[in-house]
Amino acid sequence: MAEKGASRGAARRFWSLPRKRRGAPGRHKPDEIMHQDIVPLCAADIQEQLKKRFAYLSGGRGQDGSPVITFPDYPAFSEIPDKEFQNVMTYLTSIPSLQDAGIGFILVIDRRQDKWTSVKASVLRIAASFPANLQLVLVLRPTGFFQRTLSDIAFKFNRDDFKMKVPVMMLSSVPELHGYIDKSQLTEDLGGTLDYCHSRWLCQRTAIESFALMVKQTAQMLQTFGTELAETELPNDVQSTSLVLSVHTEKKAKAKEDLHLALKEGNSILESLREPLAESTSHSVNQDQLDNQATVQRLLAQLNETEAAFDEFWAKHQQKLEQCLQLRHFEQGFREVKTTLDSMSQKIAAFTDVGNSLAHVQHLLKDLTSFEEKSSVAVDRARALSLEGQQLIENKHYAVDSIHPKCEELQHLSDHFATEITRRRGLLSKSLELHSLLEMSMKWCDEGIFLLASQPVDKCQSQDGAEAALQEIEKFLETGAENKIQELNKIYKEYECILNQDLLEHVQKVFQKQESTEEMFHRRQASLKKLAARQTRPVQPVAPRPEALSKSPSPSPGSWRSSENSSSESSVLRRGPYRRAKSEMSETRQGRTSSTGDEEESLAILRRHVMNELLDTERAYVEELLCVLEGYAAEMDNPLMAHLISTGLQNKKSILFGNMEEIYHFHNRIFLRELESCIDCPELVGRCFLERMEEFQIYEKYCQNKPRSESLWRQCSDCPFFQECQKKLDHKLSLDSYLLKPVQRITKYQLLLKEMLKYSKNCEGAEDLQEALSSILGILKAVNDSMHLIAITGYDGNLSDLGKLLMQGSFSVWTDHKKGHTKVKELARFKPMQRHLFLHEKAVLFCKKREENGEGYEKAPSYSYKQSLNMTAVGITENVKGDAKKFEIWYNAREEVYIVQAPTPEIKAAWVNEIRKVLTSQLQACREASQHRALEQSHSLPLPTPSSTSPTKGNTRNVKKLEDRKTDPLSLEGYVSSSLPKPPEKGKGWSKTSHSLEAPEEDGGWSSAEELVNSSDAEEDGGVGPKKLVPGKYTVVMDDEKEGPDTLAMRSGDMVEVVEEGAEGLWYVRDLTSSKEGWVSASSLSTLLGKSSSAQCLSSSGKTHCARQLCPEPAKILSPEPV
């Protein structure tokens, strides 16, 4: 507020300049200005009236300086409107100064060519409406004899009519006029020598008054602008301050431009006023012309004075804004540097690890050096910013009280950070020194143990051999002075600043190992000294062994054998961290009797190994994603890097990086934290995957975008932008390697889950792990399928309308259609087509796989769409004679038949099972819809539930499992049209609506568009269709394998009783031989065919699903047994 008040005070001082009225001479006083301001008329306002020239101010003066107004001969004087006459009189009397006007005006009325009546009227009109003081009225009366005589007489008789405050003199001639006014003050038409041009006078008056108005407007504009500048609040940020400074500078330039235009206009007017005198030195200048020049000069002086004052005010205002901008830059830099230094200080404060090995400490020192190098930029900037603040203070900045504390704080932060770096380096140097000492001690111990183990036992039996071995030991012990720890307390005291609990235990273990090694040497020395003394009794030396074996009990022969076996195993298990851990645990167990507790402990250790690997790689993965997003993606929006980005890369960030940011946020904020919560119970990590399985779908989007990203990378990989970013990040690998990380990570999870599951078989979370593994594999399959799906070309519709993609793969396909030429059909049987099939929930697509071209992701194949089959009209035949890898897909009652050959029988089985599930689900939906319609039509009550004694109770889940595996689905088309099947035609046994009449005889077809027909009419007409199965006792004549846990397995010769029919075509059967009961599908039972003693099959081994066909190779044949 103080700054603002000072600005306003300066503005008041600046604007307290004298303001003089337009057109007034320089000697005017304030009361003159007020007087003139009452008259609003300007020459421009009454320009047309002045042009009539019925009165003019020539500039002449009387003997006492009275201004002379001349009324020239104007025949139409009486016709001039009073308003015009009043305006002209008012304007002419306002031009002279108040001092001259105060003396009084001299009116010269020239009526030499007029009549007396006009003279009288003119004089009376002028006398009545003249707005100023009059000193004298001189009238040049008419020159005609008659009019002159008449005027003399009339004037004498009408003198009372001309009673005025001033005398009216009737003059007969011009010379007589010269007696009152000098010739030099009269114009030429009155016999004078005064140079007067009415049009020039009018132009000059208009220009002067226009210039005066311009000066006034300029002054008002500057006053408004100055007030705005004085009342401007100083902004609080760099951008706003820069904007204010820019806007004010532009306005100041515009104001200066207007000011210079006004000065140019004034100088031009002044030059035009001086032009007659410049052309002729003998030219006389009247008083009015002198007043005009003085007026213009005064206005120019006022403008110059205004400009000087404005420049001074602007200089102060601009300095303040520039200092404000400097301050805002300094404050912004201070905030950024302080934030950076605070962050670095927090990192160095959290950097408390002193290392657990020599290599670890060396790595920490390397990291510290790298961190110091990266942070040096911020430290240097802080010091430079502090010097910049000091420079502002020296330049007498207005905000010294704000700048000085910040400079001190920057200096303090820089010094504190440097001190922390130095302290941290000293601690790590101490740690390096200690670990070097420990490494030397351990190396000395290892070399000593190797020396003891390498001394040959047989040579030590002799005196010379013992002495030589003794010398070797003594020589080695002499090296201990340099390599081993001398005093433990001294170590504690010297390295107290870095000794944490872990390092302290490590020092103690090394010291214990050193003491144990020395003890071994002392025992060996004692033994060798006895041998060297040639004792009389024989001495049997003991072969040296490693320290670990010397401290453990003597192993049994069995344990030695297990140890030998384990050595061969360890060479195999040495691969990978988990196998090494397993090998270590097995070697530890081999020295003692294995137990369940030891095994569980070993598995727990292995699980922890896997969990540590999962966490370590997850953290590294998150760090790598962050590095890419900050080091590459964010830099694409950095204006400072814009010049390095090629045209082809602009606005392509979303293509290059896909949804990597979404993946990073999921892992960093959610998944990594949940994994860390399972560190104490690694076997429960499966739940983390299961709970977040939906979130893992984001990888599908990333992988689908990967081909576009790869293509863009190949086009722009040489862009300087990528090279600069890679240099800043100090990456050895280019960006494309990091863009592959998400793809590699999603495939890594299933390997880790498999490893964890292997060590968690009997644990609480084993089922979750198994389910998580299956789900991850499902996601990988979905990702892989989607990559193929997006490569389909030529399909007009929307692939998402076809439902979920269930399977996809390449097959050999033969066609055998009803329609078409016979030769085409025959050729199609022997010439397969290579087709890639996509099985959706609602359709199966046939595509042709195109050749792979290009590199990287461009090698991914593309698929040209050929045709599609609606699953509502599709049927399958599971087995085709002659090839276990073939099956049939037929369409529209076998009008179109496709023989499909899979690469392996396993792939064929998977496809057949998946198609069967789709058809079964369609059939089930159709049945439910039909039942719902039937209930609505009949308005009947719901069907009663089975009684408690019914064997169907509680077996809904089992029935559904059987249905999913092997059932005889009914017709979708026929079932939708009618809730009951149509009776078969006479002599045929099957209705015309059945689509299986052209089914191949090697195996029946399976379709959701067919319905089993059980009609009593068919039996009466002697049809060949199957007869209805009825309860009774039967004998099993062929073996059948058990299909599921809830189905009944039967053997040839068993006596069974068919109890009753259940839902979904299942019969409840009791095996009287084994006393077992269970559900059996109708396709697995033989029915009685009228009075015939033979039996016909309803289904072929669960593979034939066409309802009308007799089985050529039945799995079970039941013969009726009399009850």
Side-chain angles (χ1 to χ4, degrees):
M1 293 302 294
E3 297 169 1
K4 185 174 179 182
S7 299
R8 290 176 177 173
R12 285 194 296 269
R13 291 192 298 272
F14 163 55
W15 295 116
S16 59
L17 297 174
R19 302 180 208 169
K20 302 181 181 179
R21 77 171 177 89
R22 177 192 67 248
R27 59 180 178 274
H28 285 185
K29 297 180 181 179
D31 57 342
E32 299 173 0
I33 297 175
M34 294 301 295
H35 175 75
Q36 295 295 341
D37 288 342
I38 296 174
V39 182
L41 293 176
C42 298
D45 298 335
I46 57 173
Q47 187 173 9
E48 295 300 325
Q49 302 168 20
L50 292 173
K51 283 182 179 180
K52 294 180 179 181
R53 198 171 175 269
F54 60 83
Y56 60 85
L57 188 66
S58 63
R61 292 291 188 270
Q63 296 177 357
D64 55 356
S66 300
V68 177
I69 296 179
T70 304
F71 289 87
D73 186 23
Y74 191 79
F77 184 81
S78 60
E79 298 176 2
I80 297 173
D82 292 339
K83 183 64 176 176
E84 292 184 8
F85 181 79
Q86 184 67 32
N87 288 340
V88 172
M89 292 297 101
T90 302
Y91 178 73
L92 293 179
T93 56
S94 67
I95 294 175
S97 65
L98 293 181
Q99 182 180 358
D100 293 344
I103 300 173
F105 287 88
I106 297 177
L107 304 183
V108 178
I109 303 174
D110 185 6
R111 292 295 181 264
R112 287 175 291 176
Q113 304 298 327
D114 209 344
K115 299 178 181 180
W116 165 247
T117 53
S118 299
V119 173
K120 180 181 178 182
S122 299
V123 173
L124 291 176
R125 184 177 188 181
I126 293 171
S129 59
F130 192 77
N133 298 330
L134 286 174
Q135 184 182 12
L136 181 63
V137 178
L138 301 175
V139 180
L140 287 174
R141 57 187 177 181
T143 55
F145 177 78
F146 176 73
Q147 293 296 331
R148 184 173 57 187
T149 305
L150 180 62
S151 62
D152 289 338
I153 298 171
F155 184 72
K156 292 178 180 179
F157 286 101
N158 296 289
R159 184 179 295 273
D160 293 339
D161 295 338
F162 295 101
K163 286 183 179 180
M164 303 176 67
K165 294 181 180 180
V166 293
V168 177
M169 306 300 297
M170 290 292 180
L171 305 179
S172 301
S173 62
V174 172
E176 190 177 351
L177 175 63
H178 295 167
Y180 293 93
I181 302 174
D182 190 81
K183 292 171 58 176
S184 63
Q185 301 299 318
L186 294 173
T187 57
E188 293 179 356
D189 56 347
L190 295 177
T193 60
L194 181 63
D195 182 22
Y196 175 77
C197 177
H198 188 68
S199 59
R200 183 178 64 191
W201 174 85
L202 185 58
C203 291
Q204 289 178 351
R205 290 304 306 175
T206 304
I208 293 172
E209 290 173 358
S210 176
F211 174 59
L213 181 61
M214 181 182 294
V215 172
K216 180 179 180 181
Q217 291 175 345
T218 303
Q220 291 176 347
M221 179 269 295
L222 291 177
Q223 182 178 10
T224 303
F225 181 44
T227 304
E228 179 185 348
L229 297 183
E231 294 179 352
T232 299
E233 295 284 354
L234 296 179
N236 294 323
D237 59 274
V238 173
Q239 185 177 2
S240 300
T241 306
S242 300
L243 181 62
V244 169
L245 181 59
S246 175
V247 170
H248 285 188
T249 303
E250 291 179 3
K251 289 185 177 181
K252 174 254 181 184
K254 181 65 170 59
K256 290 282 288 185
E257 182 179 355
D258 294 342
L259 193 63
H260 290 160
L261 287 176
L263 287 171
K264 184 177 180 181
E265 180 71 15
N267 288 322
S268 175
I269 294 172
L270 184 61
E271 184 178 352
S272 67
L273 292 175
R274 292 174 176 174
E275 185 176 356
L277 186 61
E279 292 176 355
S280 175
T281 55
S282 61
H283 180 76
S284 61
V285 181
N286 59 44
Q287 186 61 43
D288 283 355
Q289 291 175 336
L290 292 175
D291 289 346
N292 288 340
Q293 293 181 15
T295 299
V296 175
Q297 290 174 347
R298 179 187 60 78
L299 292 173
L300 288 173
Q302 181 179 349
L303 281 177
N304 289 325
E305 184 181 355
T306 301
E307 181 181 18
F310 176 74
D311 289 341
E312 181 182 356
F313 175 75
W314 168 255
K316 295 179 180 179
H317 180 74
Q318 184 182 29
Q319 181 184 13
K320 185 172 289 292
L321 282 180
E322 289 176 349
Q323 287 185 348
C324 179
L325 183 61
Q326 294 172 351
L327 177 63
R328 300 304 177 235
H329 276 295
F330 177 77
E331 290 174 344
Q332 181 178 343
F334 172 78
R335 288 192 296 269
E336 293 174 356
V337 170
K338 186 177 184 302
T339 301
T340 305
L341 289 178
D342 289 342
S343 176
M344 293 190 305
S345 298
Q346 291 176 0
K347 289 181 180 179
I348 197 66
F351 196 21
T352 58
D353 193 2
V354 293
N356 51 24
S357 65
L358 183 62
H360 189 200
V361 177
Q362 291 173 343
H363 181 71
L364 291 176
L365 277 170
K366 183 179 178 182
D367 289 345
L368 181 64
T369 302
S370 176
F371 177 72
E372 185 178 10
E373 291 175 356
K374 292 179 179 179
S375 60
S376 62
V377 177
V379 175
D380 293 343
R381 186 183 175 193
R383 299 189 188 280
L385 194 61
S386 178
L387 293 176
E388 181 182 337
Q390 294 295 337
Q391 188 67 34
L392 292 177
I393 294 173
E394 292 177 3
N395 292 337
K396 298 181 179 179
H397 195 282
Y398 70 85
V400 174
D401 295 339
S402 175
I403 297 174
H404 186 68
K406 290 182 174 62
C407 292
E408 291 184 346
E409 187 173 358
L410 286 174
Q411 192 64 37
H412 171 72
L413 289 173
S414 303
D415 295 342
H416 176 71
F417 181 75
T419 303
E420 285 296 312
I421 288 287
T422 304
R423 187 185 69 83
R424 182 64 192 161
R425 187 179 300 280
L427 293 177
L428 288 178
S429 299
K430 275 286 187 182
S431 180
L432 182 67
E433 183 180 336
L434 176 59
H435 279 97
S436 299
L437 183 60
L438 296 177
E439 287 284 336
M440 291 172 58
S441 177
M442 293 178 67
K443 182 179 180 182
W444 182 80
C445 292
D446 293 339
E447 291 176 352
I449 293 173
F450 178 77
L451 175 62
L452 294 178
S454 63
Q455 287 182 340
V457 178
D458 52 348
K459 292 184 179 180
C460 293
Q461 298 293 334
S462 64
Q463 182 178 4
D464 294 339
E467 289 179 351
L470 193 60
Q471 289 178 358
E472 287 181 352
I473 290 175
E474 291 175 350
K475 184 177 180 181
F476 178 78
L477 289 176
E478 290 177 358
T479 62
E482 300 176 356
N483 297 323
K484 67 179 183 179
I485 301 174
Q486 301 298 334
E487 297 181 14
L488 196 59
N489 291 333
K490 185 178 179 181
I491 294 293
Y492 291 162
K493 184 176 181 180
E494 185 175 355
Y495 299 100
E496 181 180 5
C497 57
I498 61 170
L499 281 178
N500 53 34
Q501 187 63 31
D502 293 338
L503 189 53
L504 184 62
E505 293 177 357
H506 183 50
V507 171
Q508 292 172 349
K509 289 179 180 179
V510 172
F511 189 74
Q512 290 174 1
K513 183 176 182 180
Q514 179 180 297
E515 289 183 335
S516 299
T517 304
E518 290 177 338
E519 184 180 353
M520 292 172 63
F521 271 96
H522 292 327
R523 287 200 301 266
R524 178 63 62 85
Q525 274 183 317
S527 300
L528 291 175
K529 285 180 180 178
K530 291 179 181 179
L531 290 173
R534 294 179 176 269
Q535 298 179 1
T536 54
R537 62 183 181 84
V539 177
Q540 183 66 31
V542 181
R545 58 189 177 188
E547 177 187 5
L549 296 178
S550 66
K551 293 184 178 181
S552 61
S554 299
S556 63
S559 64
W560 281 111
R561 284 194 297 272
S562 65
S563 175
E564 294 173 357
N565 295 335
S566 67
S567 64
S568 62
E569 294 176 1
S570 63
S571 64
V572 178
L573 297 175
R574 199 171 295 124
R575 307 169 188 170
Y578 313 130
R579 292 187 172 91
R580 284 199 299 271
K582 187 175 180 180
S583 175
E584 293 170 3
M585 295 307 303
S586 63
E587 290 175 359
T588 304
R589 293 197 304 271
Q590 287 164 1
R592 58 184 183 272
T593 304
S594 61
S595 63
T596 305
D598 295 338
E599 184 178 356
E600 288 298 326
E601 183 181 355
S602 302
L603 291 175
I605 293 175
L606 292 170
R607 287 195 295 270
R608 283 196 294 272
H609 274 286
V610 179
M611 192 65 201
N612 289 336
E613 174 71 9
L614 176 59
L615 280 173
D616 291 343
T617 54
E618 184 72 13
R619 293 188 184 105
Y621 174 57
V622 171
E623 287 294 330
E624 288 170 343
L625 292 183
L626 178 62
C627 190
V628 171
L629 292 173
E630 290 184 347
Y632 286 96
E635 288 297 310
M636 291 186 72
D637 299 327
N638 186 355
L640 300 178
M641 300 285 284
H643 66 284
L644 299 176
I645 300 177
S646 61
T647 306
L649 191 61
Q650 292 177 354
N651 301 322
K652 299 289 182 64
K653 184 170 74 170
S654 59
I655 297 178
L656 185 61
F657 298 98
N659 61 331
M660 180 181 284
E661 185 174 359
E662 183 182 6
I663 294 174
Y664 165 73
H665 287 313
F666 163 63
H667 285 271
N668 183 50
R669 298 174 181 175
I670 301 174
F671 195 60
L672 177 57
R673 298 180 183 180
E674 293 183 356
L675 290 180
E676 290 173 342
S677 66
C678 296
I679 191 169
D680 295 329
C681 300
E683 63 275 6
L684 302 181
V685 75
R687 297 177 185 174
C688 295
F689 285 88
L690 291 177
E691 292 174 357
R692 298 299 173 186
M693 203 53 64
E694 290 186 4
E695 283 86 341
F696 276 106
Q697 302 296 330
I698 56 180
Y699 279 91
E700 185 173 345
K701 180 179 178 182
Y702 185 85
C703 293
Q704 288 177 354
N705 180 70
K706 197 67 178 70
R708 299 174 64 201
S709 174
E710 185 77 11
S711 176
L712 180 61
W713 166 256
R714 282 194 300 274
Q715 297 173 14
C716 306
S717 58
D718 297 333
C719 180
F721 170 78
F722 294 123
Q723 300 172 5
E724 181 66 21
C725 292
Q726 183 177 350
K727 182 179 178 181
K728 287 183 178 179
L729 295 171
D730 195 20
H731 282 178
K732 296 181 180 179
L733 300 176
S734 56
L735 175 61
D736 58 328
S737 301
Y738 292 92
L739 293 177
L740 197 59
K741 293 292 183 181
V743 181
Q744 296 171 338
R745 187 59 182 170
I746 191 63
T747 57
K748 177 73 172 176
Y749 286 129
Q750 55 102 5
L751 300 176
L752 293 171
L753 285 173
K754 284 180 181 178
E755 201 73 20
M756 182 67 78
L757 183 61
K758 184 167 64 176
Y759 305 134
S760 309
K761 292 294 185 182
N762 301 321
C763 295
E764 177 186 352
E767 293 183 1
D768 290 340
L769 285 170
Q770 182 62 55
E771 187 177 352
L773 176 60
S774 301
S775 300
I776 285 291
L777 292 175
I779 288 178
L780 292 177
K781 177 181 177 300
V783 169
N784 183 55
D785 290 346
S786 67
M787 296 294 288
H788 289 274
L789 195 61
I790 62 175
I792 296 178
T793 59
Y795 183 75
D796 294 335
N798 190 350
L799 291 174
S800 61
D801 295 339
L802 303 181
K804 181 182 178 182
L805 177 63
L806 303 176
M807 302 190 77
Q808 55 85 23
S810 296
F811 299 88
S812 297
V813 179
W814 291 264
T815 60
D816 185 7
H817 302 341
K818 279 185 178 182
K819 300 179 181 179
H821 198 272
T822 306
K823 290 184 178 181
V824 176
K825 292 170 62 179
E826 292 177 355
L827 286 174
R829 290 181 178 275
F830 300 100
K831 192 173 183 181
M833 299 176 292
Q834 300 302 317
R835 291 290 183 262
H836 201 90
L837 272 61
F838 294 86
L839 177 62
H840 291 261
E841 292 176 328
K842 298 181 181 180
V844 56
L845 270 62
F846 289 76
C847 299
K848 184 175 181 180
K849 186 176 181 180
R850 296 299 179 186
E851 294 183 0
E852 303 171 355
N853 296 316
E855 299 179 356
Y857 276 90
E858 287 188 357
K859 285 187 176 181
S862 63
Y863 304 98
S864 297
Y865 168 76
K866 295 299 181 182
Q867 64 189 113
S868 61
L869 304 178
N870 194 326
M871 291 302 293
T872 58
V874 163
I876 61 169
T877 302
E878 298 188 20
N879 293 323
V880 176
K881 281 186 177 179
D883 196 337
K885 297 182 290 184
K886 288 183 179 179
F887 64 96
E888 284 185 352
I889 299 177
W890 38 273
Y891 192 66
N892 282 345
R894 302 189 66 84
E895 288 183 356
E896 301 176 17
V897 179
Y898 302 89
I899 302 172
V900 182
Q901 184 182 41
T904 64
E906 292 77 12
I907 294 178
K908 169 207 165 181
W911 272 74
V912 168
N913 289 337
E914 198 64 40
I915 295 175
R916 187 192 300 122
K917 289 180 182 178
V918 174
L919 298 179
T920 302
S921 63
Q922 291 179 353
L923 176 62
Q924 182 65 26
C926 182
R927 284 176 174 171
E928 292 175 357
S930 179
Q931 292 174 2
H932 182 69
R933 283 195 303 272
L935 290 174
E936 288 180 349
Q937 292 174 2
S938 61
H939 300 285
S940 60
L941 295 174
L943 295 175
T945 56
S947 62
S948 59
T949 58
S950 173
T952 62
K953 186 177 182 180
N955 287 278
T956 305
R957 183 178 178 183
N958 299 335
V959 171
K960 190 177 187 307
K961 287 186 177 179
L962 289 174
E963 178 188 349
D964 287 341
R965 295 178 58 194
K966 297 178 181 179
T967 58
D968 290 332
L970 303 181
S971 168
L972 278 178
E973 297 173 357
Y975 200 83
V976 170
S977 62
S978 175
S979 60
L980 295 175
K982 295 180 180 180
E985 293 183 6
K986 188 173 183 179
K988 294 185 178 180
W990 295 96
S991 68
K992 291 183 180 181
T993 58
S994 174
H995 301 307
S996 59
L997 293 177
E998 287 78 27
E1001 296 183 0
E1002 63 269 20
D1003 246 341
W1006 199 97
S1007 171
S1008 62
E1010 297 187 356
E1011 173 66 273
L1012 183 64
V1013 179
N1014 294 322
S1015 172
S1016 59
D1017 295 338
E1019 293 182 341
E1020 293 174 2
D1021 294 341
V1024 295
K1027 306 304 179 180
K1028 185 176 182 180
L1029 189 65
V1030 296
K1033 292 185 179 180
Y1034 302 88
T1035 301
V1036 180
V1037 296
M1038 293 191 68
D1039 291 340
D1040 175 43
E1041 295 183 357
K1042 189 176 182 180
E1043 295 180 352
D1046 299 320
T1047 56
L1048 182 65
M1050 295 177 286
R1051 297 289 181 268
S1052 177
D1054 287 354
M1055 179 71 70
V1056 298
E1057 179 183 2
V1058 178
V1059 180
E1060 64 175 330
E1061 185 179 9
E1064 311 297 339
L1066 296 176
W1067 285 80
Y1068 194 80
V1069 179
R1070 182 182 296 112
D1071 191 334
L1072 302 178
T1073 304
S1074 62
S1075 300
K1076 295 181 179 179
E1077 300 177 357
W1079 291 95
V1080 180
S1081 63
S1083 61
S1084 302
L1085 298 177
S1086 174
T1087 61
L1088 295 173
L1089 301 178
K1091 298 179 181 180
S1092 173
S1093 60
S1094 63
Q1096 291 183 347
C1097 132
L1098 294 177
S1099 174
S1100 64
S1101 68
K1103 303 294 182 182
T1104 300
H1105 303 285
C1106 177
R1108 61 94 187 153
Q1109 185 175 339
L1110 297 178
C1111 300
E1113 298 175 359
K1116 296 187 288 287
I1117 298 179
L1118 304 176
S1119 62
E1121 182 72 15
V1123 180

